[in-house]
Amino acid sequence: MRRFIKLTAVWVVLLAVSAQWWLPLFLREFALKRSMKINRYSERTDIPKECPSFESIAHESVLSNKFDYQKYNGVWFNFASNEPTQQKGSCHCDQFTWNLTKDGDFMEKLETRCQLIPGYSLSPITAWLEGKTNDTGHKASMLEGAPSMGADLIPNHVVWVSEDYSACIRFSCQENYLGVPVFSSVQLWARTPLERESKRGKALLRLAHQLLDFSDEYLDFVSHDDKTCLDS
């Protein structure tokens, strides 16, 4: 009996160790890349031919290392994005909690509700992203990803932030990533949920178009309806 318990314990440890390499690989190939195919990402007309430099797209508010990590800390709500790995319309209530760590890196907690199976109710999902702040030379140009879920760290730029840090525009771009020549994603965030037709939401979208080249056709405007976010 003891021998059986010891052998079982060994197998549990081996499976746990092996999961550290095969689980990210599985998620990358069968979750992230599959979602991109469902979204027909390669057919999009607004994919850049190459990733632009941070300096060429950044607003004055984040240049010259004016960006303040402490003010950026905290909770953000996703207003709109064209994230290639998230199926359009499948997730709602996206909320991110961004926290700087002692070593200068950061952790980012994503809380969302997604319809994993068509026709079924939304399921609450929590995921952890991570990143580095000191590898690029610009405070607002960071590296972000979720290696444990198959998404390696890639450049993620905060190309604009409001003076009071209540809204921001983010842009991710990496060449030769997840099986495509250029991977790009625009994200519009605010400290409070914004409606698509709200005055501030429209202003944020207009500013994003001034800084970045993308089409509204592929944007997913995230719903933060109280009943959906609290009751589902």
Side-chain angles (χ1 to χ4, degrees):
M1 187 60 163
R2 290 181 180 178
R3 178 181 174 82
F4 174 76
I5 293 175
K6 288 181 179 180
L7 287 175
T8 301
V10 169
W11 276 109
V12 169
V13 172
L14 289 175
L15 286 173
V17 172
S18 64
Q20 294 181 5
W21 67 266
W22 68 257
L23 184 57
L25 177 63
F26 175 84
L27 291 173
R28 181 171 63 249
E29 296 299 322
F30 297 100
L32 301 181
K33 289 186 177 181
R34 180 175 179 273
S35 293
M36 292 176 66
K37 288 182 179 179
I38 292 175
N39 284 335
R40 297 183 176 180
Y41 175 75
S42 296
E43 299 177 18
R44 276 176 35 175
T45 59
D46 62 350
I47 302 173
K49 293 183 179 180
E50 58 183 11
C51 291
S53 66
F54 174 73
E55 296 87 349
S56 68
I57 57 176
H59 184 267
E60 174 63 25
S61 62
V62 295
L63 286 172
S64 303
N65 283 331
K66 296 179 180 178
F67 191 72
D68 190 323
Y69 295 131
Q70 295 302 327
K71 292 181 179 179
Y72 189 71
N73 259 345
V75 176
W76 293 92
F77 293 88
N78 188 11
F79 166 57
S81 73
N82 59 7
E83 171 57 43
T85 62
Q86 182 170 300
Q87 297 177 34
K88 189 173 181 179
S90 64
C91 294
H92 308 270
C93 317
D94 298 5
Q95 177 179 315
F96 296 84
T97 303
W98 195 95
N99 285 304
L100 191 68
T101 59
K102 293 181 179 180
D103 57 4
D105 296 336
F106 64 88
M107 295 296 295
E108 196 173 304
K109 182 182 180 181
L110 165 62
E111 297 173 277
T112 185
R113 292 178 180 270
C114 299
Q115 189 175 47
L116 302 178
I117 302 175
Y120 284 76
S121 60
L122 300 176
S123 300
I125 294 176
T126 299
W128 288 93
L129 293 83
E130 60 186 77
K132 297 183 178 295
T133 60
N134 301 316
D135 284 7
T136 61
H138 294 281
K139 291 179 69 175
S141 177
M142 298 170 269
L143 297 174
E144 182 180 291
S148 63
M149 299 175 63
D152 295 334
L153 300 185
I154 66 172
N156 183 276
H157 312 301
V158 179
V159 298
W160 173 84
V161 66
S162 61
E163 186 175 355
D164 60 357
Y165 281 71
S166 64
C168 69
I169 300 170
R170 296 159 37 103
F171 178 67
S172 301
C173 194
Q174 177 66 52
E175 297 174 11
N176 299 314
Y177 182 66
L178 292 180
V180 296
V182 178
F183 174 98
S184 70
S185 172
V186 176
Q187 308 117 38
L188 312 183
W189 285 8
R191 292 295 191 181
T192 58
L194 296 178
E195 295 293 333
R196 178 172 182 173
E197 297 302 322
S198 66
K199 182 177 179 181
R200 189 167 201 200
K202 289 181 177 180
L204 187 59
L205 183 58
R206 283 196 301 270
L207 179 56
H209 277 296
Q210 294 175 19
L211 298 172
L212 303 168
D213 184 14
F214 65 95
S215 171
D216 288 358
E217 177 183 353
Y218 310 107
L219 277 182
D220 193 3
F221 291 88
V222 180
S223 169
H224 290 278
D225 175 72
D226 286 343
K227 183 172 180 56
T228 300
C229 297
L230 297 177
D231 297 343
S232 60

